[in-house]
Amino acid sequence: MAFFQWEDSYSVKIKEIDDQHKVLVGMIAKLHEALSQGKGKDMMGVIVNELVDYSINHFSLEEKYMQTYGYPNYTSHKKEHYDFINKIDVFRSDFQAGKIMLSLEVMNFLKDWLTKHIMGVDQQYSMFFREKGLK
Ligand code: FEO
């Protein structure tokens, strides 16, 4: 069984955002696969970079919609994004510098954070955005 895969229950019923969430799930799965197969630090570093960059872009998109439509929980949602980016950016730096290794613990953190975020605060904007016409 795959370490992490998309499930229909993750859907926020907005295609553009679901598609980005699928990419994020896929990146975490790819990183886990690289770890399991004992791939080198360089290859894992590429995936970590992609994950950080894609997360930043994804969060920017959600925050843009929140600002555009006056989403009431914008500030608290943005803080979750900010805290996550800070955390994985520190991880990226330490990993690239050889200070820490990628581990199953890190993988579980990424998987659990994304699942909880998508199923929690992301689900909360679904109805609000759809009422504004996003689909
Ligand atoms: Fe899909 Fe709030 O991140």
Side-chain angles (χ1 to χ4, degrees), residues 17 21 24 58-59 62 66 77 81 113-114 117-118 121-122 125:
I17 295 175
H21 285 158
L24 287 169
H58 168 64
F59 295 157
E62 284 186 0
M66 287 179 200
H77 197 132
H81 291 167
W113 187 91
L114 188 63
H117 186 83
I118 291 176
V121 293
D122 280 0
Y125 64 51

Side-chain angles (χ1 to χ4, degrees), residues 12-134:
V12 295
K13 300 182 179 64
I14 298 161
K15 187 177 183 307
E16 184 183 23
I17 295 175
D18 279 348
D19 285 347
Q20 293 194 349
H21 285 158
K22 287 175 188 172
V23 172
L24 287 169
V25 168
M27 283 178 168
I28 292 172
K30 192 170 148 192
L31 192 56
H32 178 266
E33 194 181 321
L35 176 68
S36 305
Q37 294 174 351
K39 297 279 186 198
K41 178 170 167 280
D42 287 352
M43 175 156 183
M44 290 196 282
V46 169
I47 306 172
V48 169
N49 279 338
E50 285 174 355
L51 178 64
V52 174
D53 293 346
Y54 199 88
S55 297
I56 291 170
N57 285 335
H58 168 64
F59 295 157
S60 296
L61 178 81
E62 284 186 0
E63 289 164 20
K64 182 189 82 176
Y65 286 140
M66 287 179 200
Q67 285 189 297
T68 300
Y69 298 117
Y71 183 61
N73 298 331
Y74 168 73
T75 305
S76 57
H77 197 132
K78 184 181 167 73
K79 185 173 186 317
E80 281 208 17
H81 291 167
Y82 178 84
D83 289 347
F84 180 73
I85 290 298
N86 268 349
K87 196 154 186 167
I88 60 173
D89 204 33
V90 168
F91 169 76
R92 164 166 66 176
S93 302
D94 287 350
F95 178 75
Q96 306 290 18
K99 290 186 194 164
I100 52 170
M101 303 281 287
L102 185 61
S103 64
L104 195 55
E105 188 185 348
V106 173
M107 293 310 315
N108 281 326
F109 164 76
L110 294 172
K111 176 184 169 180
D112 292 348
W113 187 91
L114 188 63
T115 307
K116 187 164 166 264
H117 186 83
I118 291 176
M119 295 298 284
V121 293
D122 280 0
Q123 291 288 342
Q124 287 169 17
Y125 64 51
S126 175
M127 179 76 83
F128 180 87
F129 280 166
R130 285 186 293 131
E131 283 176 357
K132 303 292 181 191
L134 293 183

